[in-house]
């Protein structure tokens, strides 16, 4: 759990990759400084041909140029972060910080600066005196890094101009969320009932406040099995917990939970729980599918605000949300019952159901945009597409959403010329759900 937390932090740390690049640049400079090429070598054409003073001036010029370039890059990055926060959603800042091309570009610039600056200690100076001997291959490396940095600068401007486009932003969120569904989603069972802790159950308290970022419950289940205990988690992934509030309830069995845990048992359970639940100051996409949905819903809600009034952007966000909901409708949602190696259920973990995810994705868009025919049409189109996915329980959730949407449109769309086509389109969507119900099951892709 600690290793995963460090990996997650470093992925969004803008300083981590540039720091490694500085270290590698200094090591490369020291290594190339020890290489001496003979003038008869076929690689001699790669050597810098100037004097030691020319080499020092070159390194000084490269270092000063890179300082200016780094300042420009950081300024453009801050502008992009500010634009993403104000125009789209403040929850998208983490995506920009995790952007690998941005980190690689900044790493190339600081590596060039560090390589050139470190060379000033040896080029043209030996034992405090001026000398004509210097590592010509290492100086040639500085020239190579300069050209690489110039290419990276052009690439950075190209990448940044595309990355702040709303289409690219929303596609990136959709891609990341679908990746979470594919790799980290744990199927639930809607038929499972979360057990209520018996009167004598012991509460394991949250060690600090923050958001539950991930569950890796293997260690906790192993300790529960070794002591013959059962437990249930209180929060689900993505929920905020307060230090000192119950993080999990533990008891001996469903009938007799009155006997308190032994002191050593409580300490062991708390250590295992700390290894199984990661709590951080922010939500992440590692296991939290709802966080990706939240980001796109924020973009749609902000686009529908009176200050922006951009229904087309909201429609695009709905389209991306439809792709995510289609992937979610192919999976079962609900609590998870985790068994030990012998097959005995030891732990219950709460999770969001499909109705919650549909409301999270499309509920705010419906409430803010039900009076705009274009938005209503986009919502109906996505719901009509969802009729082809999932089982009857999933389709019932979407059908209920369509009925609520039509009720809002009937009430809020004043002009009959706008309202009647929407109601007709909504009736066609409901008929599609009826047809899918008669057909039964899900359709196979061809």
């Amino acid at each position: 759990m600690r290793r995963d937390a460090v990996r997650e932090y470093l992925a969004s740390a803008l300083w981590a990759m540039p720091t490694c690049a500085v270290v590698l640049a200094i090591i490369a400079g020291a290594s190339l400084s020890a290489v001496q090429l003979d003038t008869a070598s076929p690689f001699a054409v790669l050597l810098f041909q100037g004097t030691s003073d020319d080499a020092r001036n070159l390194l000084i010029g490269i270092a000063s140029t890179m300082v200016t370039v780094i300042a420009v890059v950081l300024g453009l990055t801050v502008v992009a972060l500010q634009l993403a926060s104000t125009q789209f959603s403040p929850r998208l800042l983490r995506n920009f910080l995790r952007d690998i091309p941005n980190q690689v570009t900044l790493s190339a610039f600081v590596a060039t600066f560090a390589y050139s600056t470190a060379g000033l200690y040896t080029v043209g100076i030996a034992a405090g005196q001026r000398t004509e001997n210097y590592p010509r291959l290492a100086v040639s490396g500085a020239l190579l890094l300069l050209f690489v940095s110039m290419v990276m600068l052009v690439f950075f401007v190209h990448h940044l101009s595309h990355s702040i486009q709303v289409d690219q932003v929303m596609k990136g969120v959709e891609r990341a969320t679908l990746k979470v569904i594919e790799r980290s989603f744990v199927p639930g069972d809607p038929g499972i009932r979360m057990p209520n802790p018996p009167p004598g159950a012991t509460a394991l308290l949250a060690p600090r406040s923050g958001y539950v970022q991930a569950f890796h419950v293997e260690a906790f289940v192993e300790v529960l099995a070794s002591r013959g205990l059962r437990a249930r988690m209180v929060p689900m992934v993505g929920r905020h917990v307060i230090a000192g509030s119950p993080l999990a309830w533990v008891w001996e069995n469903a009938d007799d939970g009155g006997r308190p845990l032994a002191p050593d048992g409580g300490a062991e359970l708390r250590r295992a729980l700390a290894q199984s639940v990661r709590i951080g100051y922010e939500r992440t996409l590692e296991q939290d599918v709802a966080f990706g949905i939240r980001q796109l819903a924020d973009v749609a809600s902000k686009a529908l605000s009176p200050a922006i009034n951009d229904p087309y952007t909201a429609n695009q966000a709905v389209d991306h949300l439809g792709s995510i909901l289609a992937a979610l409708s192919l999976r079962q949602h609900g609590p998870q019952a985790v068994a030990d190696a012998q097959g005995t259920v030891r732990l219950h973990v709460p999770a969001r159901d499909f109705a919650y995810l549909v409301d999270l994705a499309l509920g705010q868009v419906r409430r803010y945009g039900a009076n705009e025919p274009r938005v209503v049409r986009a919502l109906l189109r996505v719901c009509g597409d969802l009729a082809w996915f999932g089982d009857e329980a999933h389709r019932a959730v979407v059908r209920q959403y369509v009925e609520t949407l039509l009720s809002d449109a009937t009430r809020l769309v004043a002009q009959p010329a706008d309202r009647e086509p929407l109601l007709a389109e909504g009736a066609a969507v409901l008929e599609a759900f009826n047809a899918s119900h008669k057909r039964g099951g899900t359709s196979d892709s061809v």
Side-chain angles (χ1 to χ4, degrees), residues 127-142:
Q129 302 295 326
R130 302 299 296 270
T131 178
E132 288 299 321
N133 296 322
Y134 65 92
R136 296 178 180 271
L137 184 60
V139 175
S140 301

Side-chain angles (χ1 to χ4, degrees), residues 82 115 121 213 218 259 315 333 364 418:
Q82 183 179 11
Y115 183 96
Y121 281 91
Q213 296 178 341
E218 294 81 5
R259 188 165 56 186
N315 291 356
H333 304 266
Q364 282 186 328
D418 293 330

Side-chain angles (χ1 to χ4, degrees), residues 77-91:
T77 303
V78 170
V79 170
L81 295 177
Q82 183 179 11
L83 178 63
S85 176
T86 57
Q87 189 73 16
F88 306 135
S89 169
R91 275 155 289 280

Side-chain angles (χ1 to χ4, degrees), residues 269-285:
L269 283 169
R270 281 188 287 272
R271 287 194 299 270
L273 187 61
Q275 297 173 5
S276 301
V277 181
R278 187 168 79 237
I279 300 175
Y281 70 94
E282 62 179 346
R283 295 176 68 175
T284 68
L285 265 176

Side-chain angles (χ1 to χ4, degrees), residues 38-374:
D38 189 82
T39 55
S41 171
F43 297 101
V45 294
L46 300 177
L47 298 178
F48 182 74
Q49 302 299 319
T51 64
S52 61
D53 289 338
D54 294 335
R56 287 186 63 84
N57 291 333
L58 174 65
L59 295 178
I60 292 173
I62 292 176
S64 59
T65 300
M66 296 315 302
V67 168
T68 303
V69 171
I70 291 172
V72 171
V73 168
L74 292 178
L76 292 176
T77 303
V78 170
V79 170
L81 295 177
Q82 183 179 11
L83 178 63
S85 176
T86 57
Q87 189 73 16
F88 306 135
S89 169
R91 275 155 289 280
L92 291 171
L93 292 181
R94 183 179 179 86
N95 298 359
F96 281 86
L97 292 175
R98 294 171 64 93
D99 192 23
I100 296 299
N102 290 344
Q103 296 185 11
V104 170
T105 302
L106 185 59
S107 300
F109 295 158
V110 297
T112 302
F113 171 80
Y115 183 96
S116 303
T117 305
L120 295 175
Y121 281 91
T122 57
V123 173
I125 295 179
Q129 302 295 326
R130 302 299 296 270
T131 178
E132 288 299 321
N133 296 322
Y134 65 92
R136 296 178 180 271
L137 184 60
V139 175
S140 301
L143 275 174
L144 176 62
L145 285 177
L146 177 63
F147 283 106
V148 170
S149 298
M150 293 302 101
V151 173
M152 293 297 294
L153 178 61
V154 176
F155 167 76
F156 173 76
V157 174
H158 165 82
H159 174 74
L160 187 64
S161 62
H162 282 78
S163 64
I164 60 178
Q165 293 179 359
V166 65
D167 306 83
Q168 185 67 26
V169 170
M170 291 191 290
K171 185 60 180 178
V173 175
E174 177 196 333
R175 189 183 303 113
T177 307
L178 291 176
K179 188 180 298 183
V180 174
I181 297 173
E182 188 68 28
R183 297 181 178 179
S184 304
F185 183 84
V186 179
D189 186 350
I192 293 178
R193 288 184 173 272
M194 292 292 292
N196 294 320
T202 300
L204 301 180
L205 306 181
R208 58 184 177 275
S209 299
Y211 292 92
V212 177
Q213 296 178 341
F215 284 140
H216 296 284
V217 297
E218 294 81 5
F220 190 47
V221 171
E222 184 178 344
V223 175
L224 291 173
S226 66
R227 295 182 173 272
L229 301 173
R230 294 180 59 195
R232 64 160 287 177
M233 294 291 185
V234 175
M236 61 185 68
V237 171
R239 287 290 175 86
H240 187 270
V241 296
I242 301 175
S245 64
L247 188 60
W249 289 96
V250 180
W251 63 93
E252 289 194 359
N253 54 59
D255 300 322
D256 179 17
R259 188 165 56 186
L261 297 176
D264 61 332
E268 185 181 12
L269 283 169
R270 281 188 287 272
R271 287 194 299 270
L273 187 61
Q275 297 173 5
S276 301
V277 181
R278 187 168 79 237
I279 300 175
Y281 70 94
E282 62 179 346
R283 295 176 68 175
T284 68
L285 265 176
E286 182 179 353
Q287 294 182 357
D288 192 359
V289 175
F291 184 53
I293 296 175
R294 174 78 275 166
Q295 291 175 337
L296 287 172
D298 282 352
V299 174
S301 300
K302 185 164 289 190
L304 293 173
S305 66
I308 298 178
N309 198 22
D310 182 11
Y312 182 67
T313 296
N315 291 356
Q316 289 180 292
V318 168
D319 293 336
H320 292 287
L321 286 167
S323 299
I324 295 173
L325 290 176
L328 288 172
S329 63
L330 299 176
R331 290 162 171 81
Q332 292 297 318
H333 304 266
Q336 294 112 35
V338 185
D340 59 16
Q342 286 70 40
T344 303
V345 174
R346 295 294 179 183
L347 177 65
H348 285 82
V349 181
R352 298 173 175 86
D353 57 18
F354 187 66
Y356 176 93
L357 296 173
V358 170
D359 182 71
L360 178 65
L362 305 179
Q364 282 186 328
V365 184
R366 172 182 60 80
R367 289 185 285 272
Y368 296 151
N371 60 343
E372 171 52 51
R374 295 287 182 184

